[in-house]
Amino acid sequence: MPEPFDDGAIAATGAGGAMDLAASEATTLEQPPSAASGGRGPGGPLGTGPAEKPRSLWSDAWRDLRRNPVFIVAGLVILFLLVIAIWPSLIASGNPLRCDLAKAQLGSAPGHPFGYDGQGCDVYTRTVHGARASVTVGVCTTVGVALFGSVVGGLAGFFGGGWDALLSRVTDIFFGIPVVLGGLVFLSVITSTTVWPVIGFMILLGWPQIARIARGSVITAKQNDYVQAARALGASNSRMLLRHIAPNAVAPVIVVATIALGTFIALEATLSYLGVGLKPPTVSWGIDISAASQYIRNAPHMLLWPAGALAITVLAFIMLGDAVRDALDPKLR
């Protein structure tokens, strides 16, 4: 009569014999993988851990941006510009419109590190306060151009056919208008001293580029399988545009808009320099550069500081756009 099994587990060996395992080891073998591996489920590769949630394009882009020194430097510069644009009194307590003709064209002095301009105004104070108008024009124009251009280009790319032909021809008409020449014609009759006429004009002539980018992105996105599946399931046009196409077509628009922001700031300075952009008493880098150009030989500091602030601002936004482009373009990974 065979003897009963003991409490230890019996495992077969390759030689046909048997080996006794301790009861604790047998219990460990009988436990599910999650308990035996310290809470790690079978979803991970080779039992090393749970399956990691797939990262999206935006999470990968943010991870790359945080490691990009160009993005960090450009972001810090832009953050500083935004702060002084909102609260210029933090670093410049003077009045940019208070001038003393007795100090006209004088150089650096205690409390006035950038010297004085042709009217005896403090160049440092005007340079700091000039950031508000320039940044406001750049940001508002970029938002308006991105929204209007994305809507026009997105509709043209999504519906195609006659709508695409009509909207594309309208885009070509606005593309053919020279921006500077158009500014000289349209803004020369504007007497307002606010920034809104300049912003409206720049939106009017700046949206075609974004529209073309948006149109191409939508045409590419709507050919994907998930869009075709949504269409087959009866999804409406608005749902496909807002839920499936727009989130996957907006990346190129963001890149172009970020780079264009610096271009719009430079365009505002150009129009102000020509006398058709922002007008006094608005404080603007373009106005100060225009006023200082006739004194460039005798008092170059009048031109150096506002021009330097403008160049740094435009460069910072272009660097930011380049960093965002590299992060959002999977082909560059």
Side-chain angles (χ1 to χ4, degrees), residues 103-325:
K103 300 178 180 179
Q105 303 183 37
L106 292 181
S108 177
H112 306 277
F114 293 177
Y116 299 88
D117 63 7
Q119 301 295 324
C121 302
D122 185 21
V123 176
Y124 172 77
T125 303
R126 290 187 64 86
T127 301
V128 173
H129 282 262
R132 171 174 294 181
S134 297
V135 172
T136 300
V137 170
V139 172
C140 293
T141 301
T142 301
V143 172
V145 163
L147 292 177
F148 187 72
S150 297
V151 171
V152 174
L155 293 177
F158 180 76
F159 290 104
W163 282 102
D164 187 12
L166 175 62
L167 294 177
S168 296
R169 298 297 76 76
V170 174
T171 302
D172 293 339
I173 292 174
F174 280 91
F175 233 130
I177 302 177
V179 178
V180 176
L181 180 59
L184 291 173
V185 174
F186 293 113
L187 295 178
S188 60
V189 298
I190 302 297
T191 58
S192 175
T193 58
T194 64
V195 300
W196 301 113
V198 178
I199 293 174
F201 166 76
M202 293 171 65
I203 292 176
L204 180 64
L205 296 186
W207 64 269
Q209 181 183 14
I210 297 293
R212 285 190 171 183
I213 298 297
R215 175 181 175 273
S217 299
V218 169
I219 290 176
T220 301
K222 76 175 185 179
Q223 297 174 356
N224 292 326
D225 294 337
Y226 57 83
V227 177
Q228 302 301 327
R231 188 188 301 274
L233 292 174
S236 62
N237 290 335
S238 60
R239 181 178 179 84
M240 285 190 293
L241 270 173
L242 298 178
R243 295 291 301 274
H244 302 289
I245 295 179
N248 296 281
V250 72
V253 175
I254 293 177
V255 173
V256 175
T258 305
I259 298 177
L261 201 157
T263 305
F264 290 137
I265 293 177
L267 177 59
E268 177 273 319
T270 303
L271 296 174
S272 298
Y273 178 85
L274 296 175
V276 296
L278 301 181
K279 300 175 178 63
T282 303
V283 181
S284 167
W285 291 331
I287 295 175
D288 290 350
I289 293 173
S290 177
S293 60
Q294 56 184 323
Y295 302 106
I296 189 171
R297 292 186 178 181
N298 299 327
H301 65 276
M302 294 171 50
L303 179 65
L304 174 63
W305 297 110
L310 175 64
I312 292 174
T313 301
V314 174
L315 179 62
F317 280 107
I318 291 177
M319 292 171 58
L320 180 69
D322 288 341
V324 172
R325 179 199 60 196

Side-chain angles (χ1 to χ4, degrees), residues 7 68 76 213:
D7 294 336
N68 190 342
L76 291 176
I213 298 297

Side-chain angles (χ1 to χ4, degrees), residues 52-147:
E52 185 179 356
K53 183 179 179 180
R55 293 193 300 265
S56 64
L57 172 65
W58 301 104
S59 61
D60 284 342
W62 176 240
R63 182 191 61 181
D64 294 342
L65 287 174
R66 288 181 298 176
R67 300 176 180 178
N68 190 342
V70 175
F71 172 78
I72 295 175
V73 173
L76 291 176
V77 173
I78 293 173
L79 179 61
F80 174 74
L81 289 170
L82 292 177
V83 170
I84 67 173
I86 299 173
W87 299 291
S89 59
L90 289 177
I91 61 174
S93 58
N95 187 348
L97 302 178
R98 183 178 300 167
C99 307
D100 186 358
L101 285 175
K103 300 178 180 179
Q105 303 183 37
L106 292 181
S108 177
H112 306 277
F114 293 177
Y116 299 88
D117 63 7
Q119 301 295 324
C121 302
D122 185 21
V123 176
Y124 172 77
T125 303
R126 290 187 64 86
T127 301
V128 173
H129 282 262
R132 171 174 294 181
S134 297
V135 172
T136 300
V137 170
V139 172
C140 293
T141 301
T142 301
V143 172
V145 163
L147 292 177

